[in-house]
Amino acid sequence: MALGYDGKLYILAFDHRGSFQKKMFGIEGDPTPDETKIIVDAKQLIYEGVEKAVKAGLDPKTAGVLVDEQFGGTIPETSKEHGLSLTMPAEKSGVNEFQFEYGEDFPAHIEKYDLLATKVLVRYNPDGDAEMNERQTKRLKELADWLHANGKKFLFELLVPAEPAQLESVGGDTDRYDAELRPELMRRVIEHFQNEGVEVDIWKIEGVDTQEDAQLLSDQARKGEGRENVKSVLLGRGASDEKVDQWLQAAAPVEGFIGFAIGRSIWWNPLKAYLDGGDREEQSQKIADNYLRFVKVYDEASSSVSA
């Protein structure tokens, strides 16, 4: 099947699991059935924000839901009934090395749902642990090969955490690492996976501060025969609105970028307010408003090129 994706894609990401139950609810280890119900309801609230955004005018063809099987409840089925694209994760939550959430049984879990794409979250620094990188590459190739052999798309979320020596080279300044080192490291990782035959349809990547760096990454994602239609979306990393806006404005004008997959920056504060006793309708509306605001920022930056 041909690689890539056509059209805009504004994904509201809430497939967080281990970090979500721990940081939002203070739940360590496996949640009890009662705790699971609370987490499932919280994700339902986030989904209600997506539905409100669509009712307010967001094209359901561009609206995407990224949610997990463990805490997603009925959202995977409901989102498809409402014409929203559905993406679900394949990675085990809460571990630094990519592993399959359901081990070798991953195909059965992917085939249960009508997905736009299967998503993985991968932490990979090209100057990091070589043996771990090799193991991750092998597993990711297995997944990519299976997906494409079965007519399914692959969304790859790439995080490049700093190695100690890299951070030391910029005086321990994480902002300098993000601006000066991370873009080229990301490009190298994308190139590595391409060279190893791990073919990706949509790259979900950390934001960069300049349009030049966004161009660098999009060019690499689409480099090589058969990759002309490979696309990229931005992730939010839980950053402030101002920072996410900057990343969106840098990437939106660049050919090959088609939108975003943002989570905590949209729903964290409204969900916290709801769990602290806030009104459900009011907080789900705030999620919708935050979501639509990022869509507007992206659309305006994207359309400014052709204006």
Side-chain angles (χ1 to χ4, degrees):
M1 64 180 288
L3 286 175
Y5 182 78
D6 293 311
K8 290 275 187 74
L9 198 52
Y10 300 121
I11 295 175
L12 204 161
F14 52 113
D15 63 324
H16 310 65
R17 284 155 284 160
S19 63
F20 185 65
Q21 68 173 55
K22 183 177 179 181
K23 293 177 182 175
M24 184 63 80
F25 299 95
I27 298 169
E28 302 272 3
D30 293 332
T32 66
D34 285 344
E35 288 170 337
T36 297
K37 284 180 186 174
I38 293 168
I39 300 170
V40 169
D41 182 65
K43 296 212 172 191
Q44 181 63 34
L45 175 74
I46 298 170
Y47 175 72
E48 288 162 16
V50 181
E51 290 202 330
K52 281 183 167 63
V54 171
K55 283 179 184 171
L58 179 62
D59 184 350
K61 291 188 181 70
T62 66
V65 169
L66 170 52
V67 71
D68 56 290
E69 185 175 338
Q70 183 181 6
F71 298 128
T74 60
I75 294 167
E77 291 79 16
T78 310
S79 61
K80 292 305 293 186
E81 289 167 8
H82 290 203
L84 304 169
S85 70
L86 174 66
T87 299
M88 298 182 78
E91 82 278 353
K92 190 172 188 175
S93 177
V95 293
N96 287 330
E97 177 176 345
F98 170 75
Q99 299 173 38
F100 290 107
E101 171 73 6
Y102 298 105
E104 290 304 306
D105 198 30
F106 73 84
H109 287 266
I110 294 170
E111 289 176 325
K112 276 168 71 173
Y113 302 100
D114 179 15
L115 301 180
L116 166 81
T118 294
K119 166 254 176 185
V120 294
L121 167 63
V122 179
R123 296 170 180 85
Y124 191 107
N125 189 306
D127 299 331
D129 183 328
E131 290 184 358
M132 184 172 85
N133 283 352
E134 186 177 342
R135 289 193 301 270
Q136 294 197 104
T137 300
K138 184 179 177 185
R139 292 183 194 123
L140 290 160
K141 178 157 175 51
E142 180 186 0
L143 177 60
D145 287 352
W146 183 88
L147 287 169
H148 292 132
N150 287 275
K152 301 180 185 301
K153 295 200 178 296
F154 189 21
L155 186 148
F156 191 121
E157 178 177 353
L158 172 64
L159 301 181
V160 185
E163 287 294 307
Q166 293 167 346
L167 205 51
E168 191 179 325
S169 74
V170 290
D173 187 330
T174 55
D175 289 338
R176 280 188 62 198
Y177 168 77
D178 279 343
E180 298 172 25
L181 300 184
R182 183 164 57 73
E184 173 58 18
L185 290 169
M186 293 164 73
R187 188 206 64 76
R188 284 173 57 197
V189 176
I190 294 170
E191 182 179 45
H192 160 76
F193 283 113
Q194 290 171 334
N195 290 342
E196 294 297 320
V198 180
E199 298 294 354
V200 173
D201 296 282
I202 304 167
W203 289 95
K204 180 184 174 189
I205 58 178
E206 295 178 271
V208 289
D209 293 341
T210 69
Q211 191 171 323
E212 290 76 18
D213 284 334
Q215 187 75 59
L216 172 84
L217 296 169
S218 181
D219 286 350
Q220 184 63 57
R222 297 180 299 146
K223 187 175 182 180
E225 187 177 348
R227 299 193 186 105
E228 303 82 3
N229 204 33
V230 170
K231 298 302 197 305
S232 300
V233 295
L234 267 294
L235 59 90
R237 213 168 70 173
S240 67
D241 286 358
E242 293 74 23
K243 192 64 187 178
V244 176
D245 286 355
Q246 181 186 356
W247 292 335
L248 295 177
Q249 288 160 351
V254 174
E255 187 178 354
F257 276 91
I258 59 168
F260 59 71
I262 298 175
R264 291 169 295 165
S265 304
I266 292 174
W267 51 255
W268 185 273
N269 289 337
L271 179 55
K272 195 85 177 66
Y274 168 69
L275 293 171
D276 289 342
D279 179 74
R280 189 180 189 99
E281 280 293 311
E282 182 182 338
Q283 298 310 323
S284 62
Q285 186 59 55
K286 283 186 179 177
I287 291 170
D289 293 344
N290 292 344
Y291 182 26
L292 290 169
R293 198 192 73 79
F294 283 131
V295 171
K296 185 170 184 248
V297 168
Y298 190 94
D299 276 348
E300 287 178 351
S302 179
S303 59
S304 67
V305 183
S306 52

